[in-house]
Structure formats: C-alpha cells, structure tokens
Amino acid sequence: MLYIIRHGKTDWNVAKKLQGWTDIPLNEQGISMAREAAKENKEIDFDICFCSPLTRARQTAELFLEGRDTPIIIDERIKEMGFGEYEGITNYFEDSSCPVNVFFTYPKNYKGSKNGESTKDLLARTKDFLEDKVYPLLKEGKNVLIVGHGAANSSIICNYLNRDEDDFWKESIANCKLINLDALKAN
C-alpha cells in the first residue's frame, strides 16, 4: 500500500506565504498536528518512509514515526516545487495577475518562473522517484509512506493515479492528513 502525508503547519503556512524550496521549520501547531496524526494512524505499519529533505517534512516524518522502527529515507525528488523568485510572496492565490497563480488555477499551463520549476518539471521528477523507489517496493507487498508537501504530493498523486494535469489539485492535501493512494485508486 502507498500512503502519503503533507507536513504539519509552519509560520509561512499561517501567513499564507509561498514556501517552495525555502526551508521553513514546523511551528508549534505543526508539531502538535504531526503528533496527533501519529496517534490517529498508529495501527498502520509502514515498512519504509521516503521524505523530502526540507526541515518541515523531516520533522513531520520523525514525529509521525516516533517510537517505530520505520526507516526514513531522504529523497530530493520529493521536495516541494521550486517557485524561484516567487517564494515568500503572499496573495499569490487570490491575485490573478501573479504569474504563480496560473499553477494553482491552470496547472497544465504553468511554465515555471526564474529559478523555479514548471508543472511538467515537477511531474517528471516525482514520476522518476515513483518508478525508481516506490513501485519496486509495492511489488514486494511493502507499505510505503511518503512525507512531503502540497504541490509535490499532488504531483505524486497525479502520477500514481495516471491523472491529467487538469486534475492536479483534485485531492485536498491538508496538513498532516494521511491519504491511502491505493484506496483512491480503487475508487
């Protein structure tokens, strides 16, 4: 089975700042969310966890898996999407004139920004990760956990479920909500 979870809240989530590759730690609420998610999902055994290298994801993985023997493997290919010059801005979602807004409204049309990635770039790197690391483990019957980010997780879901880019945001990727991708695939 394949499971995915987004990191807990950060101060930038609360301020509605675009994080991307900017390495922001969890805030107190995010730490509590990760601990609560661990309690809610304690009955699920994970054979392995793949985690983004960004601090907010690593902290979430460590808190979520605390007291378990699940190895946490860091993989650069599942870090958040790089938004380049737009990292740290606010109102990107509400401001239709902001170039990054295209990613959140018409992801198929998003070509990236200076020092950032396009939707196609993100989909390519998460697809490579799935094919290289996850699919072989799933064939062995392993339970795999991915701890990542909103856009990166959406990209993984699109690839895993063979969805079109138009459905990039179809799943709600709430902070610290565990999603069973095989259950989604079955529907």
Side-chain angles (χ1 to χ4, degrees):
M1 296 286 242
L2 179 58
Y3 297 86
I4 197 164
I5 192 168
R6 182 181 174 199
H7 63 79
K9 287 211 177 193
T10 69
D11 287 341
W12 278 30
N13 286 132
V14 174
K16 297 184 178 181
K17 286 185 174 185
L18 192 59
Q19 292 179 101
W21 290 345
T22 305
D23 201 8
I24 307 298
L26 296 179
N27 60 20
E28 287 303 315
Q29 182 185 13
I31 291 168
S32 295
M33 291 173 86
R35 288 185 174 139
E36 186 60 32
K39 288 178 196 170
E40 290 172 8
N41 297 287
K42 66 182 179 221
E43 76 287 349
I44 303 171
D45 291 320
F46 302 103
D47 295 300
I48 191 166
C49 170
F50 290 102
C51 183
S52 158
L54 297 174
T55 301
R56 58 194 182 267
R58 285 194 342 263
Q59 287 177 305
T60 300
E62 290 165 2
L63 292 164
F64 185 79
L65 295 170
E66 193 169 42
R68 299 178 186 228
D69 292 330
T70 308
I72 299 172
I73 310 297
I74 303 300
D75 197 301
E76 289 282 331
R77 293 171 292 183
I78 56 176
K79 73 181 176 182
E80 183 57 302
M81 182 175 201
F83 293 104
E85 63 191 326
Y86 295 103
E87 292 189 16
I89 66 166
T90 58
N91 298 322
Y92 55 89
F93 193 76
E94 295 84 10
D95 181 0
S96 60
S97 68
C98 178
V100 168
N101 180 273
V102 172
F103 178 61
F104 296 97
T105 53
Y106 304 102
K108 191 179 234 176
N109 297 336
Y110 185 62
K111 306 298 182 213
S113 62
K114 185 178 179 184
N115 300 319
E117 296 179 285
S118 69
T119 307
K120 288 195 183 323
D121 294 335
L122 178 61
L123 286 163
R125 76 171 156 87
T126 58
K127 182 179 182 184
D128 180 65
F129 161 74
L130 287 168
E131 290 173 350
D132 179 41
K133 298 293 185 183
V134 175
Y135 294 152
L137 291 169
L138 293 176
K139 284 181 184 169
E140 293 175 20
K142 304 287 187 192
N143 277 350
V144 178
L145 172 65
I146 297 171
V147 181
H149 309 270
N153 286 5
S154 291
S155 177
I156 289 166
I157 291 170
C158 269
N159 279 314
Y160 191 69
L161 301 179
N162 295 312
R163 287 188 177 159
D164 187 80
E165 289 170 65
D166 290 331
D167 291 326
F168 191 89
W169 296 111
K170 186 172 181 178
E171 301 310 317
S172 173
I173 310 290
N175 293 98
C176 282
K177 181 180 183 291
L178 186 70
I179 299 171
N180 178 332
L181 295 188
D182 290 300
L184 283 179
K185 200 175 216 180
N187 292 334

